[in-house]
């Protein structure tokens, strides 16, 4: 299925490079050179993902992000000029999904785009399920995917976002075994060039929180030599 990406970036040459590279990756692309046009296209063209520059004439990226979010849950990746935590917090509050800080490689950008599109289609599939779509219940464990809450026997567990994402990912596809590489790719969000042991460490922490006996797990099970799965 062909995916459409809207690139909102005022620098013509950067916009050209982005749309060219994305079309080589097989995406259909749309481009806007200012915030007002970008917002209009975001709302009328129904793109599958938006790449949104922060500094834009007309309407800046934050305003565009906020206004798009009032109408749509399309994934938005902000293109920020500098590594600025304040910007990231602001963007998160306005509903951006991801950030990429300039300068970035096209390879990194393409990986992020792919990961965000995949994540949104997984969510969309999940939302089709009619009953209890926001809560996954298994045994004494309850995972509320909208509130980012996990509780065990009715007690809310203190869990990090990454631990939550990993648990949610496995629990939404029970019994399906994922390799550590696949988990890195899906849960860590893009081609993570880190160590696959990151997954093991996160699984271990998660088990300490959700399992009665972390050495004898009943939820997150190790398939030796393959990976992990959630036992329904
Ligand atoms: Ca700009």
């Amino acid at each position: 299925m062909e995916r459409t990406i809207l690139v909102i970036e005022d620098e013509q040459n950067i916009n050209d490079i982005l749309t060219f590279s994305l079309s080589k990756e097989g995406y259909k692309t749309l481009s806007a050179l200012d915030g007002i046009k970008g917002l209009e296209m975001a709302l009328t063209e129904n793109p599958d993902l938006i790449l949104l520059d922060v500094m834009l004439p007309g309407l800046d990226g934050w305003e565009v992000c906020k206004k798009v979010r009032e109408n749509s849950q399309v994934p938005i990746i902000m293109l920020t000029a500098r590594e600025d935590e304040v910007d990231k917090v602001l963007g998160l509050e306005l509903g951006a999904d991801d950030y990429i800080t300039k300068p970035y490689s096209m390879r990194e950008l393409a990986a992020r785009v792919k990961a965000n599109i995949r994540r949104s289609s997984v969510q969309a599939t999940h939302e089709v399920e009619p009953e209890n779509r926001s809560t996954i219940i298994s045994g004494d464990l309850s995972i509320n995917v909208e509130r980012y809450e996990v509780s065990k026997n009715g007690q809310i567990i203190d869990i990090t976002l990454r631990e939550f994402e990993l648990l949610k990912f496995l629990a939404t596809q029970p019994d399906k075994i994922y390799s550590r590489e696949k988990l890195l790719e899906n849960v860590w969000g893009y081609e993570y060039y880190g160590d696959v042991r990151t997954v093991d460490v996160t699984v271990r922490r998660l088990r300490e929180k959700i399992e009665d006996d972390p050495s004898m797990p009943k939820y997150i099970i190790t398939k030796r030599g393959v990976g992990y799965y959630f036992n329904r």
Side-chain angles (χ1 to χ4, degrees):
M1 178 181 161
E2 193 175 49
R3 305 289 191 172
T4 303
I5 298 174
L6 170 61
V7 179
I8 310 177
E9 162 66 69
D10 59 316
E11 282 177 57
Q12 183 80 60
N13 62 330
I14 297 179
N15 199 312
D16 289 348
I17 292 166
L18 288 171
T19 50
F20 176 73
S21 310
L22 291 166
S23 33
K24 276 208 312 187
E25 297 280 329
Y27 299 105
K28 188 175 167 225
T29 58
L30 297 165
S31 70
L33 294 166
D34 67 73
I36 294 165
K37 184 72 188 159
L39 176 61
E40 185 196 313
M41 292 178 82
L43 299 179
T44 56
E45 301 285 340
N46 201 22
D48 295 291
L49 183 138
I50 300 173
L51 285 178
L52 178 58
D53 186 28
V54 173
M55 300 298 285
L56 289 168
L59 213 54
D60 73 23
W62 305 128
E63 282 297 316
V64 173
C65 181
K66 199 168 101 187
K67 291 200 153 52
V68 169
R69 269 297 164 267
E70 287 168 8
N71 296 281
S72 157
Q73 291 304 311
V74 60
I76 299 174
I77 302 178
M78 305 292 300
L79 305 172
T80 60
R82 59 197 182 284
E83 199 88 52
D84 189 333
E85 291 302 321
V86 176
D87 281 3
K88 291 186 181 181
V89 172
L90 176 63
L92 268 182
E93 283 171 359
L94 296 177
D97 297 275
D98 204 353
Y99 297 85
I100 190 154
T101 306
K102 298 172 184 176
Y104 46 80
S105 71
M106 277 314 304
R107 187 168 176 207
E108 187 188 0
L109 185 99
R112 298 279 190 104
V113 164
K114 194 175 160 196
N116 279 277
I117 285 182
R118 188 199 294 121
R119 197 179 306 154
S120 80
S121 54
V122 167
Q123 278 166 2
T125 310
H126 190 61
E127 276 169 11
V128 171
E129 294 168 20
E131 300 297 318
N132 272 335
R133 65 178 190 202
S134 62
T135 308
I136 301 161
I137 295 168
S138 182
D140 55 10
L141 208 59
S142 168
I143 306 162
N144 187 314
V145 298
E146 281 173 8
R147 299 181 63 188
Y148 285 78
E149 263 175 20
V150 177
S151 52
K152 188 177 161 71
N153 295 318
Q155 296 288 310
I156 290 177
I157 293 170
D158 189 17
I159 194 168
T160 68
L161 180 61
R162 196 67 78 192
E163 289 159 4
F164 182 85
E165 295 281 359
L166 177 64
L167 179 61
K168 184 180 89 173
F169 182 78
L170 289 169
T172 47
Q173 301 157 92
D175 301 332
K176 188 166 158 72
I177 303 166
Y178 281 94
S179 68
R180 298 184 296 170
E181 288 81 4
K182 278 282 171 218
L183 289 171
L184 271 181
E185 202 180 307
N186 284 281
V187 177
W188 275 254
Y190 42 96
E191 285 176 51
Y192 187 84
Y193 295 106
D195 197 316
V196 289
R197 279 175 298 186
T198 306
V199 176
D200 303 332
V201 172
T202 310
V203 165
R204 199 180 65 224
R205 281 206 233 101
L206 200 47
R207 280 174 175 162
E208 282 163 8
K209 294 177 180 182
I210 66 171
E211 302 284 358
D212 289 336
D213 178 357
S215 64
M216 295 281 288
K218 60 178 185 177
Y219 290 116
I220 298 182
I221 313 295
T222 305
K223 180 77 178 171
R224 198 168 292 280
V226 186
Y228 296 104
Y229 67 97
F230 186 85
N231 185 27
R232 183 177 352 216

